[in-house]
């Protein structure tokens, strides 16, 4: 019985280390270092639609996605919100927020999601021991800021079709060509209305870029090359990864 428990603990540790290895902020950490970090990790689960943290909540825990999808968004008192990012396995939800007192955005599970959590005190100690973690957080934050600036510029241009294509391409770079995302969620990510998104997706279907799907909450991209041409950015796939 004790042997079974030991094997279970080892399996859990291997799974955690595997996720940490996919996390960009730990890219320069050795296997031994990842195993040490794994000792401070607590796995947690959230059901679809539940909030992991809300804007204004204390920023005292680092979250890393182990399985599932999480959207990071900001909202207004009127109930409208804009999705800033959709993150998946190996992504952090809030690495930059830990340098602040509270969260500046909201994290919500898009499906049943498994996360790894590390307390702020423990994570601060890790950064002191492994300064490369802090460097990678700065690099990751800068990259995300660049993408967001480009997206805001696109919103100002008013080209909804190109903006929607940009969002689909960025999601495909992370999640593959079959996207489990509703039209409402895609509209929030593109900064437009659900009605406009439905109309634009139908237009992309006629162009052969998006395939028809009988499943609600799913969008299948059938031609990435055409989508890339529509976006008109040869470097997009590189700086999103």
């Amino acid at each position: 019985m004790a042997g079974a428990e030991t094997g279970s603990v080892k399996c859990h540790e291997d799974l955690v280390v595997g996720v940490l290895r996919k996390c960009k902020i730990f890219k320069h950490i050795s296997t031994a270092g990842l195993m040490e970090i794994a000792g401070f990790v607590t796995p947690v689960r959230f059901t679809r639609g539940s909030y992991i943290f809300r804007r204004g909540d204390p920023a005292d825990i680092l979250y890393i996605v182990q399985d599932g999808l999480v959207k990071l968004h900001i909202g207004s008192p009127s109930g409208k919100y804009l999705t800033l990012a959709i993150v998946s396995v190996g992504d952090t939800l809030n690495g930059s927020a830990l340098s602040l007192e509270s969260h500046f955005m909201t994290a919500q599970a898009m499906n049943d999601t498994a996360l790894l959590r590390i307390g702020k005190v423990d994570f601060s100690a890790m950064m002191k021991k492994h300064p490369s973690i802090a460097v990678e957080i700065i690099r990751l934050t800068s990259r995300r800021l660049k993408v967001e600036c480009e997206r805001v510029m696109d919103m100002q241009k008013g080209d909804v079709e190109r903006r929607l294509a940009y969002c689909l391409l960025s999601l495909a770079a992370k999640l593959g060509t079959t996207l489990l995302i509703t039209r409402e969620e895609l509209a929030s990510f593109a900064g437009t209305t659900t009605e406009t998104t439905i109309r634009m997706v139908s237009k992309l279907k006629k162009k052969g870029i998006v395939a028809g799907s009988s499943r609600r909450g799913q969008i299948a991209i059938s031609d990435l090359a055409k989508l890339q041409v529509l976006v008109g950015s040869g470097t997009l796939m590189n700086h999103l990864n």
Side-chain angles (χ1 to χ4, degrees):
M1 188 70 175
E5 290 178 357
T6 301
S8 177
V9 170
K10 182 65 169 61
C11 180
H12 166 74
E13 184 181 75
D14 289 344
L15 286 173
V16 170
V17 169
V19 175
L20 295 178
R21 187 171 283 116
K22 293 177 182 178
C23 186
K24 292 181 177 65
I25 67 172
F26 299 127
K27 65 185 294 184
H28 296 297
I29 307 300
S30 66
T31 298
L34 292 176
M35 291 178 67
E36 180 185 358
I37 293 170
F40 295 95
V41 165
T42 303
V44 289
R45 291 186 173 274
F46 292 85
T47 56
R48 175 185 172 90
S50 59
Y51 291 94
I52 298 154
F53 55 79
R54 296 176 186 262
R55 184 178 182 180
D57 285 350
D60 51 9
I61 296 170
L62 174 75
Y63 289 98
I64 303 167
V65 182
Q66 179 177 12
D67 186 45
L69 297 176
V70 177
K71 61 182 175 184
L72 305 173
H73 61 84
I74 53 175
S76 66
S78 64
K80 294 182 180 180
Y81 66 90
L82 175 67
T83 298
L84 301 174
I86 294 176
V87 297
S88 59
V89 179
D91 288 329
T92 57
L93 304 188
N94 58 335
S96 58
L98 293 190
S99 62
L100 305 173
E101 294 299 319
S102 61
H103 288 294
F104 50 86
M105 56 188 172
T106 296
Q108 187 176 16
M110 295 178 65
N111 50 19
D112 291 346
T113 301
L115 303 176
L116 304 179
R117 53 182 283 173
I118 305 173
K120 187 172 185 175
V121 173
D122 290 331
F123 187 65
S124 296
M126 291 174 202
M127 286 195 291
K128 289 180 181 178
K129 187 171 183 178
H130 304 284
S132 66
I133 296 175
V135 173
E136 291 305 320
I137 288 177
I138 293 171
R139 184 172 292 142
L140 181 62
T141 302
S142 299
R143 190 179 299 125
R144 286 180 176 175
L145 180 59
K146 178 183 178 182
V147 171
E148 286 306 308
C149 286
E150 291 181 358
R151 191 151 69 105
V152 169
M153 289 300 293
D154 273 349
M155 288 180 183
Q156 297 301 315
K157 294 175 184 176
D159 187 346
V160 179
E161 184 181 44
R162 182 181 183 278
R163 194 161 76 234
L164 195 68
Y166 185 106
C167 292
L168 288 172
L169 195 60
S170 68
L171 290 171
K174 289 178 61 64
L175 309 174
T177 55
T178 300
L179 306 174
L180 301 180
I181 183 172
T182 66
R183 302 307 193 262
E184 293 83 0
E185 289 166 337
L186 182 58
S188 171
F189 195 29
T192 187
T193 65
T194 302
E195 292 75 15
T196 298
T197 298
I198 292 172
R199 188 168 65 252
M200 289 295 107
V201 169
S202 296
K203 190 175 179 180
L204 293 177
K205 283 182 182 178
K206 292 177 181 177
K207 291 183 177 183
I209 295 174
V210 173
S213 175
S214 58
R215 179 176 176 182
R216 188 181 183 280
Q218 177 176 297
I219 297 176
I221 300 171
S222 53
D223 197 324
L224 277 174
K226 285 184 179 179
L227 193 62
Q228 179 76 65
V229 170
L230 189 59
V231 170
S233 170
T235 60
L236 177 63
M237 297 294 283
N238 292 327
H239 77 246
L240 281 169
N241 289 315

